[in-house]
Amino acid sequence: MQISLQDPLFQASIPVLNKIESHGYEAYFVGGAIRDVLLEKTIGDIDIATSAFPQEIQTIFPKHFDVGIEHGTIVVLYQGNSYEITTFRTESTYSDYRRPDHVEFVRNLKLDTLRRDFTINAMAVDAKGELYDFHGGYQDLEDKLLRAVGLPLERFQEDALRIMRGIRFASQLGFQLEEQTFEAMSQLASNFSKISIERIRIELEKMMAGSYLSQTIPFFKNAKLEKSFPQANQFDYVQGLSYLSHQTRGHQGLSPLITWSLLLKGMEINDEKTQRRLMKQWTLSNRLMDQVVAFLKLNHEIIQQTLTIETIYDYDQVVIDHMYNYLEITNQMATKNEMEELINNLPIRKRQELAVNGKQIMQVLKMEKGGPVIGQLLDQIEAKVIRKELVNQTDAIINWLKNNKNS
Ligand code: ATP
Ligand code: MG
C-alpha cells in the first residue's frame, strides 16, 4: 500500500533516507508520524529507523551528535537540518519494568517493530511511500483500536509506562482499548510505582489535554490507573479528571496550567499548601506551580465575585491570559468581559510602570540612605495609583510625597 509523503517534514527527510539506502542499508519513517499521517493529523516529529549500525550512520553523515548512541540513536546534520536516526533494535529482559537490560542492534525491520508499544505505532514507510505493517496497525487505525504489539501482559510487564501511553493515546485519538490490552493494563497498573514520576506526568498531561478525555475516563477508572499516583488514597483523581473533562468538553490542546488547575479543583484540593505538596510530588516546575496556585485563587475570586481592580492587579498576565482562555472555553463570556474591563482600567500593570522610583523618592525626601520606608512608600503610591486616587505622573506623585512628608 502506498502512503502519501506530501507533508513537508517527510519531503525534507526523503533525501536522508535515500542517502542511507545509497550506501546499501534500509531506512524507513516509523512510529507516530506514520500513525498521524494516516489519521490525516499534523505530524509532530519524524523518526527514522535504519538497518545501518550507529557507526555506519556516523560514517555516512560526518556531521552528527551521539545523543543516545547506546540505544542506537544518532542525530545527524544534513543540508542544514537535523534528523534523529535510530538503528533497528531488539530489547531484552526488563528486570526493572522500565529499561531494557540491553538492546541489540539488528538488520531487520520486522524485529524492530516488535519492541514498539501499539500496533498503530509500529508501522513503517520507505522513501517511496510503501507501507510496512506487520501487526495489523492499519486495520486497528480503521477500527479505532489500541492494541499492544505481541502479548499485552508481557509488553506492559516490560515497561509499565506503556500503560499510561495507551490511555493517553485513547484520550488524544478517541480510540478504544482492545480487550486483552485493557485487561493487561488493569492487571499491571500498580507497576507505575517503578516508573519515574516525570515520565508518568508527561503522559498524564497529554492525556488531560486530549480531546476525548471524557470517554477515556471509564478506562482509567476501571483499570484503577491512579492507584500508584501521589496521594491517591486521600484525593480522588477520577473525580478530578471528570471535573476537568466536564468543564472543557472536547477542547483540544489545553495548557498544563489549565489542566492541572482544573484537576486540583475537581479533586477538591483547596488549600495552597496541599496544592503545592501534590504538584511538587508530580515534579511540576516552580513556575507552573505558582501559576496554578494563582489561577485557582483567581478562579475562587471570580466565583465569589470578590474580584476588584486592586485584587486583579496582583495577577501575572500569563495567569490572566489562561483565565481568559478558560472562560471562553466554558462559555463565560460575560465574566471574561468584566475581567477585561478591570484589566483595561488599570492605570499601571506593574510597579516598574510607576512614574517614580525609589531613588527619586529618596531625593524628594532628602534621604541619604534607603531603607524599608522606601518600599512602604512605593506600596502606598502603587495602591493609590491603582485606585486612581493619584495620577501616575511624576509631578503629581512628588507633590503627594511632599504633602505627606510628616504624616
Ligand atoms: P507523539 O505524537 O506523542 O510523539 P509517538 O508515538 O511519536 O507520539 P514517541 O514517544 O515520539 O511517541 O515515540 C516514537 C515511537 O517509539 C512510538 O511511536 C513507538 O513506536 C515507540 N515507543 C515510544 N515509547 C515507547 C515505549 N515506552 N515502549 C515501546 N515503544 C515505544
Ligand atoms: Mg513522536
Side-chain angles (χ1 to χ4, degrees), residues 64 69 159 183 185 194 314 339 364 367 372 397:
H64 56 256
I69 192 162
D159 178 2
E183 274 301 307
M185 286 168 82
K194 297 168 184 105
D314 288 331
M339 248 183 80
V364 173
M367 290 170 69
I397 298 175

Side-chain angles (χ1 to χ4, degrees), residues 109-149:
L109 170 66
K110 186 174 178 189
L111 287 178
D112 181 80
T113 62
L114 286 168
R115 71 169 171 94
R116 298 185 179 270
D117 48 7
F118 298 97
T119 61
I120 62 166
N121 288 342
M123 292 179 276
V125 173
D126 67 17
K128 294 188 197 68
E130 187 63 32
L131 179 73
Y132 296 79
D133 175 16
F134 301 100
H135 310 284
Y138 187 84
Q139 188 60 46
D140 285 339
L141 270 186
E142 296 263 291
D143 298 339
K144 296 183 183 292
L145 269 186
L146 282 154
R147 183 197 305 274
V149 171

Side-chain angles (χ1 to χ4, degrees), residues 51-235:
S51 62
F53 286 2
Q55 293 78 358
E56 291 160 346
I57 289 295
Q58 289 169 331
T59 313
I60 300 172
F61 300 96
K63 289 187 192 163
H64 56 256
F65 305 104
D66 306 340
V67 282
I69 192 162
E70 67 282 9
H71 295 113
T73 302
I74 308 274
V75 172
V76 308
L77 284 178
Y78 187 61
Q79 296 176 347
N81 290 315
S82 66
Y83 303 89
E84 210 175 289
I85 303 176
T86 305
T87 300
F88 297 154
R89 61 175 207 235
T90 58
E91 298 172 350
S92 57
T93 50
Y94 291 61
S95 38
D96 61 359
Y97 308 101
R98 57 196 157 99
R99 292 230 189 287
D101 294 341
H102 69 271
V103 303
E104 191 177 335
F105 300 134
V106 292
R107 298 287 188 188
N108 177 293
L109 170 66
K110 186 174 178 189
L111 287 178
D112 181 80
T113 62
L114 286 168
R115 71 169 171 94
R116 298 185 179 270
D117 48 7
F118 298 97
T119 61
I120 62 166
N121 288 342
M123 292 179 276
V125 173
D126 67 17
K128 294 188 197 68
E130 187 63 32
L131 179 73
Y132 296 79
D133 175 16
F134 301 100
H135 310 284
Y138 187 84
Q139 188 60 46
D140 285 339
L141 270 186
E142 296 263 291
D143 298 339
K144 296 183 183 292
L145 269 186
L146 282 154
R147 183 197 305 274
V149 171
L151 296 173
L153 266 177
E154 233 171 59
R155 306 313 310 289
F156 296 138
Q157 187 88 48
E158 288 168 357
D159 178 2
L161 187 73
R162 291 172 187 154
I163 300 174
M164 203 54 209
R165 280 173 61 86
I167 207 87
R168 78 103 154 158
F169 284 121
S171 176
Q172 288 178 322
L173 304 173
F175 283 23
Q176 301 290 311
L177 289 150
E178 177 274 326
E179 213 177 303
Q180 286 174 24
T181 300
F182 177 72
E183 274 301 307
M185 286 168 82
S186 315
Q187 270 190 51
L188 298 172
S190 48
N191 284 2
F192 278 163
S193 53
K194 297 168 184 105
I195 306 253
S196 89
I197 189 91
E198 285 96 334
R199 297 176 76 209
I200 301 179
R201 172 171 56 77
I202 291 167
E203 299 303 328
L204 176 69
E205 285 176 351
K206 289 183 179 177
M207 170 193 157
M208 290 197 291
S211 304
Y212 302 90
L213 178 61
S214 68
Q215 67 184 67
T216 305
I217 292 173
F219 289 111
F220 182 93
K221 182 179 172 192
N222 293 336
K224 298 195 170 52
L225 292 194
E226 80 287 5
K227 69 183 167 199
S228 305
F229 283 8
Q231 300 186 45
N233 51 356
Q234 220 174 326
F235 299 110

Side-chain angles (χ1 to χ4, degrees), residues 30-33 35-36 44-47 165 168-169 206:
V30 288
R35 174 196 73 220
D36 291 341
D45 52 356
I46 295 271
D47 292 311
R165 280 173 61 86
R168 78 103 154 158
F169 284 121
K206 289 183 179 177

